[in-house]
Amino acid sequence: MDNELEEYLEFAKDIAKHSGEIMLKYFKQNNGANYKGDKTIVTLADTEINSYLIKQVKEKYPLHSVDGEEEQFGKSDYVWVCDPVDGTAMYARHIPVAVFSLALVIKGQSMVGVVFDPFTNSLYTAIKGKGAYKNGERIMVNDYALEDMKTVCHYDSWVGADYNISKVLQELETKTYFVGLGSIIRACMCIASGDFSLAIFPGTKHKNCDIAAVKVIVEEAGGTVTDLFGNEQKYDESINGAVISNGKVHNEVIDTIKKYLKDKK
């Protein structure tokens, strides 16, 4: 199995590098941005990358399936879960924050993950049980508490999210510093590399695409990834939000969330 996972990682890295080229190709030109029915933005890069992934999986692993944010293919226990451009709102406005994300999820468990930031040429990779890496160098989460002045945290929030985390943020903001980076996945790579300590993500419907690769990369860097209420979850289906942390602050954040939010799952 280890050899197979290494092969899958090499495949994912190749997809990531090509996808980064597509992102850069459209970044400074007319990227064809328009709004979908759920009022989120999609660009030419999103659709081209998603279609490219499906084509490559069909050729290389025809018995696998693809769950892309823009397009899906097949049904299998082996699912390539992809967010072609995370941070599309920033990308569409020519702000260089967006990243490409891809995970191989086997029977609901994230086993291989890659995230590529083409703007800084940063490739984050992980295989379950084998550690997390940035451009081949081992990375680890930090051990900062919320009250530590070095701690920086991220949040996502939008109209129509199933969970309103505003009261959670109001309480936690008395202890720590929050930013909205514009890409949950990019923020989570900051957690994996020790620069951020926490991210809170209220996404649910089809938002496994945002967290599947994050799950394996952050946890292999020593962090913790659960749903909003501290539970494990599958990543080949819709999720119940996510808390991504360095591990040290995780229980404190979950306890705060439970004070204000009721589990809808």
Side-chain angles (χ1 to χ4, degrees), residues 57-153:
V57 170
K58 282 181 175 179
E59 291 179 1
K60 184 77 172 178
Y61 305 113
L63 298 180
H64 293 192
S65 57
V66 174
D67 185 3
E69 190 165 77
E70 308 305 331
E71 186 180 357
Q72 295 77 46
F73 157 74
K75 187 173 180 59
S76 168
D77 286 339
Y78 284 61
V79 188
W80 293 94
V81 180
C82 177
D83 192 336
V85 181
D86 184 63
T88 314
M90 299 295 102
Y91 179 82
R93 292 165 174 80
H94 314 292
I95 301 170
V97 175
V99 296
F100 166 84
S101 173
L102 179 63
L104 177 61
V105 178
I106 302 176
K107 296 182 178 179
Q109 188 172 30
S110 292
M111 299 298 293
V112 174
V114 301
V115 170
F116 185 49
D117 175 359
F119 304 106
T120 61
N121 197 33
S122 297
L123 180 65
Y124 300 84
T125 62
I127 293 174
K128 189 171 178 62
K130 300 293 185 180
Y133 298 84
K134 176 184 176 183
N135 293 338
E137 298 290 328
R138 188 73 181 263
I139 53 176
M140 294 293 293
V141 299
N142 66 46
D143 63 350
Y144 306 153
L146 287 179
E147 296 85 351
D148 193 315
M149 66 180 296
K150 297 187 292 293
T151 293
V152 177
C153 305

Side-chain angles (χ1 to χ4, degrees), residues 212-239:
V214 164
K215 171 68 174 177
V216 62
I217 295 172
V218 169
E219 292 202 337
E220 286 302 312
T224 303
V225 181
T226 68
D227 77 359
L228 281 172
F229 303 91
N231 305 306
E232 290 295 328
Q233 56 188 339
K234 294 182 176 181
Y235 292 92
D236 56 359
E237 60 187 26
S238 292
I239 60 172

Side-chain angles (χ1 to χ4, degrees), residues 16-81:
K17 289 297 182 72
H18 183 75
S19 298
E21 293 173 1
I22 294 172
M23 289 173 68
L24 292 176
K25 177 178 72 172
Y26 288 115
F27 180 63
K28 290 186 178 179
Q29 54 180 276
N30 182 357
N31 51 44
N34 60 78
Y35 287 86
K36 297 185 286 185
D38 61 1
K39 298 183 180 179
T40 58
I41 298 176
V42 62
T43 70
L44 291 173
D46 290 274
T47 53
E48 187 171 321
I49 290 168
N50 208 141
S51 295
Y52 174 76
L53 171 63
I54 289 175
K55 179 176 180 293
Q56 295 303 308
V57 170
K58 282 181 175 179
E59 291 179 1
K60 184 77 172 178
Y61 305 113
L63 298 180
H64 293 192
S65 57
V66 174
D67 185 3
E69 190 165 77
E70 308 305 331
E71 186 180 357
Q72 295 77 46
F73 157 74
K75 187 173 180 59
S76 168
D77 286 339
Y78 284 61
V79 188
W80 293 94
V81 180

